[in-house]
Amino acid sequence: MPSIADIVILAAVAATIFFSVRSLLRKEKNGCSDCGGSCSSHADGHCSKAAGMIADAESAFAKKGGPRSA
């Protein structure tokens, strides 16, 4: 008889497989897994969503004062 931990692990693996396949299907359908039809990288080779995420990360990093010296 499977324990609760076994069931939780199987559920997590099943969810991971489900979302992986879902992402692959979306990518095949639209060319981008999250951006879909509004993806700018097809036209100019530059992904505006990725650029925005990097800018947000750099801004948050700068607010924290950058890396700490060891």
Side-chain angles (χ1 to χ4, degrees):
M1 180 167 183
S3 68
I4 297 293
D6 293 334
I7 294 170
V8 170
I9 291 170
L10 288 174
V13 169
T16 301
I17 292 171
F18 170 78
F19 287 114
S20 297
V21 170
R22 180 175 170 243
S23 177
L24 289 172
L25 291 175
R26 283 185 170 187
K27 183 176 181 180
E28 279 296 316
K29 181 179 177 186
N30 296 323
C32 294
S33 66
D34 290 326
C35 300
S38 65
C39 185
S40 62
S41 69
H42 294 290
D44 61 11
H46 176 75
C47 180
S48 60
K49 296 286 186 181
M53 287 187 281
I54 290 171
D56 290 344
E58 288 176 345
S59 173
F61 190 68
K63 285 180 184 177
K64 294 221 178 227
R68 295 182 184 169
S69 299

